[in-house]
Amino acid sequence: ALALARGLDPAPLVAHAPRPTLCEETSFGDAVESLEPLAFVLRGLVARVSARLEGRGQATTALAVTLRYDASIARLRGVAGDAAELAIVLPAPLAREGDLFRAIRAKLERARLEAPVRALAVTAARIVRAPRVQLDLGRDAAVSPDALPVLLAELSAEIGDERVGVLACVPVHRPEAQSRLAPALGARPRELPFAWPVPAATRVLARPLALEVHPSELRAGMPLVVDRRLYTIARVAHDLRLDEVEWWAGPPVGRDYLRLWLTSEAGGAGAWVYVDKATRRVMLQGYAE
């Protein structure tokens, strides 16, 4: 402490290493107002980024395309800001020109130009070591090992990376939150240490639907409106109870789950509902076949 008070500290200084990025950009003499010439120029920029990545044995998992508008026209049209950025998240590291351009083209085709473009830039935002696939005599030579990553990258750019993945189990008590989309490639969520009870529903709703009925009316012979259809409750059975769970993540969850067998003129149906112990509201959790 006395040494530090005198300004003496023998510990070595660790310099901050900024995250490496690669950027290629170009500008136009005359502003470009359509996507076709932009795609042509983008191909050249992507080729240069790809060459730099492959020369270093690297790949990227994120791309950013920056469209810089003509400032005066953008201001005249009331565009917020003088540039637009298209972010592309890649599920797996990619470096080849064709693979990168497919992902960018899928995103560019859905873009809308708010003003003429004066300059264009492509940035490899996250650079990692390029994966190397060893020779595998059991793999079909006609099938590229990058075919699936490229397809996933194209889908992610077109519909959003939050909508592409595989279902993974999540260790929570609420049935509607027990599964989520996880990355199809790369890191996966940890496996559950034990098996959760199998829900009584074959289709669980992502968001429970409120039913306009009092809990005391959930008995045989009573009418019930579900999704604008009138049913009659034929039988009711208690399924399970969640008693003040997940208090560590927010308000405690208390629910009484019931299985309902419903009949109508059009046919029968099975419903999985619960009564919220705090609000006494009846919520539809899912359907059972």
Side-chain angles (χ1 to χ4, degrees):
L2 292 176
L4 292 177
R6 294 195 302 268
L8 302 177
D9 185 4
L13 297 177
V14 179
H16 170 68
R19 178 173 294 180
T21 59
L22 291 179
C23 182
E24 293 289 341
E25 59 181 334
T26 187
S27 59
F28 307 105
D30 296 327
V32 177
E33 300 191 35
S34 60
L35 295 177
E36 289 79 7
L38 289 180
F40 178 79
V41 176
L42 269 175
R43 188 66 185 246
L45 297 179
V46 172
R48 296 205 293 267
V49 171
S50 173
R52 295 173 65 182
L53 288 173
E54 291 184 333
R56 302 176 183 185
Q58 296 175 333
T60 181
T61 58
L63 291 169
V65 178
T66 304
L67 308 173
R68 295 188 177 88
Y69 295 140
D70 186 302
S72 58
I73 299 181
R75 187 164 50 252
L76 180 63
R77 295 182 180 179
V79 179
D82 58 354
E85 183 170 301
L86 307 178
I88 302 102
V89 178
L90 305 177
L94 298 177
R96 297 178 182 175
E97 172 191 346
D99 301 342
L100 297 177
F101 185 70
R102 283 180 60 182
I104 292 178
R105 183 178 57 187
K107 191 78 170 182
L108 185 65
E109 290 175 350
R110 303 174 64 88
R112 179 174 174 268
L113 298 182
E114 301 288 346
V117 177
R118 282 288 186 182
L120 187 64
V122 177
T123 304
R126 290 200 299 265
I127 298 176
V128 297
R129 186 183 299 273
R132 298 300 181 188
V133 179
Q134 299 293 330
L135 178 63
D136 187 357
L137 299 179
R139 180 185 290 118
D140 187 356
V143 179
S144 171
D146 293 332
L148 180 59
V150 174
L151 175 61
L152 293 176
E154 195 169 2
L155 288 174
S156 299
E158 187 168 353
I159 64 176
D161 60 287
E162 70 280 358
R163 296 185 177 93
V164 178
V166 295
L167 280 179
C169 295
V170 182
V172 295
H173 291 84
R174 292 175 294 115
E176 68 271 17
Q178 288 181 1
S179 63
R180 66 177 178 85
L181 276 180
L185 302 174
R188 299 286 183 85
R190 62 182 179 86
E191 296 294 333
L192 296 181
F194 56 92
W196 290 98
V198 178
T202 54
R203 184 166 71 93
V204 177
L205 301 179
R207 295 182 179 179
L209 177 65
L211 300 179
E212 298 299 329
V213 60
H214 193 268
S216 61
E217 299 176 355
L218 295 177
R219 60 180 186 272
M222 296 296 293
L224 181 65
V225 177
V226 179
D227 196 16
R228 299 183 180 180
R229 295 182 180 181
L230 180 62
Y231 295 92
T232 301
I233 302 177
R235 188 155 56 96
V236 180
H238 183 270
D239 191 56
L240 61 91
R241 171 175 290 179
L242 299 181
D243 191 8
E244 304 299 318
V245 299
E246 299 188 17
W247 50 266
W248 53 90
V253 177
R255 299 174 179 177
D256 285 324
Y257 279 87
L258 303 172
R259 297 183 66 179
L260 306 181
W261 284 264
L262 308 176
T263 60
S264 67
E265 296 181 355
W272 197 39
V273 304
Y274 69 84
V275 179
D276 192 299
K277 298 176 66 175
T279 63
R280 303 301 297 169
R281 298 192 65 184
V282 179
M283 309 294 292
L284 176 65
Q285 183 75 80
Y287 297 94
E289 296 179 355

